[in-house]
Amino acid sequence: MRFDFSDKVLTVFLSGEIDHHNAGNIRQRTDSEIIKCSPTLLVLDFTDVTFMDSSGVGLVIGRYKLAKEIGCNTAVTGVSARDKKILMMSGLQNKIEFR
Amino acid sequence: MKAKLNDFKINIMARSVNEGFLRTVVAAFSALADPTIEEINDIKTAVSEAVTNSIVHGYREKQGRIYIDAVLFSDNTVKIKIRDKGCGIEDVKKAMEPLYTTAGDERSGLGFSVMESFTDKLSVRSTPGKGTVVTLTKKITGKCE
Ligand SMILES: Nc1ncnc2c1ncn2[C@@H]1O[C@H](COP(=O)(O)OP(=O)(O)O)[C@@H](O)[C@H]1O
Ligand SMILES: [Mg+2]
C-alpha cells in the first residue's frame, strides 16, 4: 500500500487482498492520510489488488463518506471486472467515478 | 446418480486471520475438479463472505470455532458447508436482502448477494442462539471462456 499526493489529488495504491481481516489497517492508514493531506480528489487505485470481497465495498463507501465531509470527490481506477461487479452491487457508481 | 468423489472437513478457530487461509484451502480443494480461474475466484469470494459472517456476526469477533465441510461430487459440483455455533439469525429472509446489515458503517450488507451471484445455489439455515449453516453449491464446468 502506497500513497501519492500531488496537485491536491491523493492517490491510494491498494495492493494484495482486501477482506475483513485486512480492511481495518487499510482504513486507518487511508483515513489518516486523507485528514493529513486534505485533498480535493481521492483516487483509490485497485490495479495491484489480487482479491476482494464485499469488505472492499464497505471500505470504499467509508472513504467516500469521509472525503465528502471535507469536500473531496472520490474515484476508483484499475478495478477488475469481477471486483467492479461487487462494487456496483451497492450502487456506488452513482456516487463515485469509475475510471 | 451422483457419487461422492472426495471430501474434507476443517474445524478451526474463528479468527479473522483465518479468512484468507479458509478461502484458499477451499479453492485448492475445488481445484481438483479442474475449474476455470473464474470459477475458482467465485468460490474464493463466496467462502470469504460466509467465513467473515461467522466471525463478525455469528461470534461478534469473540472466540468460537468455524466448521467447514466440503464435498466434491461426480457431476462436478462442489458443496461447501460453513457452520458456526454463534448467535444465529432471527430473520434469515431479511438478512439476505441486498444492503441489509446489522453491523454499522464498514459492512455493506452485500455478503449474501455476493454468495448468491457467485455460486449456483445458496442455502442458509439458522437457529437464534444456536448458530448458522451456510451451504454453497457450485457447478465446475472447467470450460475456458
Ligand atoms: N453467521 C451469521 N451469524 C449471525 N448473523 C449473521 C450471520 N451471517 C449473516 N448474518 C446477519 O445477516 C446480515 C447480512 O449479512 P451480509 O449480507 O453478509 O452483510 P454484512 O456482513 O455486510 O452485514 C448481517 O449483518 C447479520 O445480521
Ligand atoms: Mg457479510
Side-chain angles (χ1 to χ4, degrees):
Chain A
M1 193 181 177
R2 208 154 53 69
F3 299 98
D4 176 76
F5 183 57
S6 48
D7 298 327
K8 288 260 158 200
V9 178
L10 175 64
T11 307
V12 183
F13 297 93
L14 300 161
S15 62
E17 305 198 308
I18 302 180
D19 62 5
H20 156 257
H21 179 68
N22 297 325
N25 178 43
I26 301 171
R27 177 182 71 230
Q28 278 168 18
R29 291 180 59 192
T30 305
D31 285 0
S32 57
E33 206 68 18
I34 294 171
I35 290 158
K36 193 178 89 189
C37 300
S38 199
T40 55
L41 178 65
L42 171 69
V43 180
L44 302 170
D45 189 324
F46 279 74
T47 307
D48 294 329
V49 170
T50 53
F51 173 84
M52 189 195 93
D53 65 17
S54 74
S55 304
V57 181
L59 186 75
V60 175
I61 293 176
R63 293 348 7 104
Y64 156 77
K65 284 185 180 160
L66 176 65
K68 202 175 156 211
E69 273 178 36
I70 59 162
C72 169
N73 290 322
T74 303
V76 292
T77 185
V79 183
S80 71
R82 63 179 302 110
D83 293 354
K84 201 167 183 171
K85 187 171 159 187
I86 298 173
L87 288 172
M88 284 192 166
M89 283 180 186
S90 65
L92 208 56
Q93 59 278 21
N94 302 319
K95 299 192 175 91
I96 67 174
E97 186 195 338
F98 281 69
R99 294 186 166 173
Chain B
M1 251 288 285
K2 63 175 183 184
K4 200 190 223 189
L5 288 185
N6 206 348
D7 72 41
F8 87 103
K9 286 182 205 297
I10 287 188
N11 169 339
I12 191 168
M13 282 173 83
R15 298 188 55 208
S16 71
V17 69
N18 290 329
E19 290 161 6
F21 169 72
L22 288 173
R23 65 178 174 259
T24 304
V25 91
V26 175
F29 174 78
S30 310
L32 299 169
D34 215 8
T36 61
I37 305 260
E38 199 57 26
E39 286 165 344
I40 277 286
N41 286 331
D42 290 349
I43 290 168
K44 252 193 195 170
T45 311
V47 169
S48 193
E49 296 293 350
V51 166
T52 301
N53 279 353
S54 291
I55 294 166
V56 174
H57 307 298
Y59 294 118
R60 308 232 164 97
E61 318 234 9
K62 299 198 177 70
Q63 63 179 8
R65 302 193 75 82
I66 293 174
Y67 308 85
I68 295 187
D69 198 324
V71 182
L72 177 62
F73 292 100
S74 56
D75 64 351
N76 255 30
T77 54
V78 261
K79 197 171 181 174
I80 307 140
K81 257 188 214 172
I82 295 123
R83 186 163 65 89
D84 66 64
K85 295 181 182 171
C87 66
I89 305 172
E90 291 285 347
D91 185 343
V92 172
K93 208 171 150 228
K94 185 159 193 190
M96 291 176 77
E97 282 170 13
L99 305 177
Y100 177 84
T101 181
T102 53
D105 251 13
E106 296 288 326
R107 312 269 357 128
S108 58
L110 289 172
F112 283 127
S113 307
V114 167
M115 288 184 243
E116 232 159 15
S117 95
F118 289 150
T119 62
D120 295 303
K121 195 172 163 223
L122 162 67
S123 103
V124 183
R125 277 194 297 127
S126 191
T127 313
K130 287 246 162 85
T132 303
V133 191
V134 169
T135 308
L136 306 166
T137 310
K138 177 87 177 166
K139 173 99 183 152
I140 307 284
T141 67
K143 279 190 218 100
C144 294
E145 281 133 60

